[in-house]
Amino acid sequence: LYVTLPFNILPFLSDGIGKWSIAQKLWPRFLFLATGYCILSIIMSCIFYRKAEPDKRKPLRYGTIVSNGGFLGNPVIEGIYGTNGLFYASVFMLPVRIVMWSVGTSCFMKEKSESLVKKVLTHPCIVAIYLGLFVMIAGMSFPVSVENTISGISSCNTPLSMMLVGMMLAEMNPKGILDGTMVLYTIVRLILIPAILFGLTALLPIPALLRGITVIIAGMPTPVTTALLSAKYHGNEGYATGMIFVTTILSLFTLPVWCWLLG
């Protein structure tokens, strides 16, 4: 986690140099939509799950704030909107990823306010964001040898994550996973948040492409990092793995519905 995840963030931000410069004319809309999505998700995570057990509340809150908009969202959006849609989705995910590794990560940490802020700000993934943003804004590029090293370590993240989640699934006891809280979470993650954004964006003068990207990313299932961080920070990793499994299966039905509603 401390090695592969930070290296997974760096290429995403460094690749965003050209994307961000091209998208400067649309950046206020990107920033508005991405910020609105993040604020809504944070509010939802605070409203629900108050009665959930503490070890379950950590992944539930994180899984509400963060969706699988990068790993799963990018190929889905590319399949619907083509490379143009993938380009805009990548820019949209820049502020979302910052929230993911700041507010999202704080869901797993139980310290006093000052200690929590310090721990979040010095987290390896946040440090990677600092470096990536500096490189992006400065218009710099890494030497080929460094770039290849970063890319190589970054590519380890997905198979290692899948292996870990697979081992968690193998050890997971299905009993107690499909409880009322899981049903509530699934509704919030796959239906409620995208439905609110679907209604709000319909009232805004924005291109249909940006609206579609916002709703589809908001309607993505639980990200794999929910289980990874639960295992690292004493959350209920078995329950987190169940969240990934249940929402990913059900998203096979909900995502086509959202695409149909978006036209």
Side-chain angles (χ1 to χ4, degrees):
L1 284 177
Y2 281 142
V3 177
T4 61
L5 286 176
F7 275 89
N8 189 242
I9 293 170
L10 279 173
F12 181 86
L13 288 170
S14 59
D15 288 346
I17 298 172
K19 296 173 182 177
W20 190 252
S21 61
I22 296 173
Q24 280 179 346
K25 293 182 179 179
L26 291 174
W27 77 264
R29 297 182 185 182
F30 279 117
L31 184 60
F32 178 77
L33 291 172
T35 302
Y37 162 60
C38 292
I39 292 174
L40 175 64
S41 300
I42 293 170
I43 292 173
M44 293 290 114
S45 73
C46 294
I47 292 175
F48 301 104
Y49 324 124
R50 292 182 179 179
K51 295 182 180 180
E53 299 172 21
D55 63 334
K56 291 183 180 180
R57 194 182 305 130
K58 294 178 181 180
L60 285 166
R61 289 197 62 205
Y62 178 86
T64 301
I65 295 172
V66 183
S67 75
N68 203 343
F71 180 69
L72 183 61
N74 281 347
V76 170
I77 289 172
E78 184 179 16
I80 298 170
Y81 296 111
T83 54
N84 194 39
L86 179 61
F87 161 76
Y88 287 119
S90 299
V91 179
F92 179 91
M93 285 297 294
L94 286 173
V96 173
R97 291 212 174 205
I98 294 173
V99 171
M100 170 184 178
W101 292 114
S102 54
V103 180
T105 307
S106 69
C107 296
F108 291 94
M109 302 176 183
K110 286 183 63 178
E111 283 92 6
K112 294 181 180 179
S113 297
E114 293 181 2
S115 177
L116 178 60
V117 170
K118 182 180 178 180
K119 198 165 186 178
V120 169
L121 292 178
T122 56
H123 191 277
C125 291
I126 296 297
V127 174
I129 288 177
Y130 299 153
L131 180 59
L133 287 175
F134 173 77
V135 170
M136 185 180 73
I137 294 171
M140 298 168 56
S141 60
F142 294 113
V144 175
S145 58
V146 176
E147 199 170 286
N148 289 340
T149 303
I150 293 173
S151 177
I153 298 176
S154 171
S155 64
C156 297
N157 186 64
T158 298
L160 286 174
S161 299
M162 294 298 101
M163 288 169 62
L164 180 57
V165 171
M167 287 185 280
M168 290 177 179
L169 282 170
E171 297 175 354
M172 183 179 68
N173 183 0
K175 294 181 179 180
I177 296 296
L178 291 175
D179 56 8
T181 305
M182 181 68 77
V183 174
L184 172 63
Y185 168 74
T186 303
I187 293 173
V188 172
R189 175 71 272 155
L190 299 180
I191 300 175
L192 184 58
I193 293 177
I196 294 174
L197 290 171
F198 180 86
L200 292 177
T201 52
L203 304 175
L204 300 175
I206 57 174
L209 175 62
L210 297 188
R211 183 190 183 207
I213 289 172
T214 303
V215 174
I216 290 171
I217 288 178
M220 284 289 153
T222 310
V224 174
T225 47
T226 308
L228 303 182
L229 293 174
S230 294
K232 180 66 181 176
Y233 294 110
H234 309 293
N236 190 327
E237 62 263 33
Y239 198 79
T241 306
M243 290 163 54
I244 297 168
F245 180 77
V246 171
T247 56
T248 301
I249 294 297
L250 293 180
S251 69
L252 297 176
F253 303 95
T254 58
L255 284 174
V257 172
W258 286 121
C259 293
W260 176 73
L261 290 172
L262 288 164

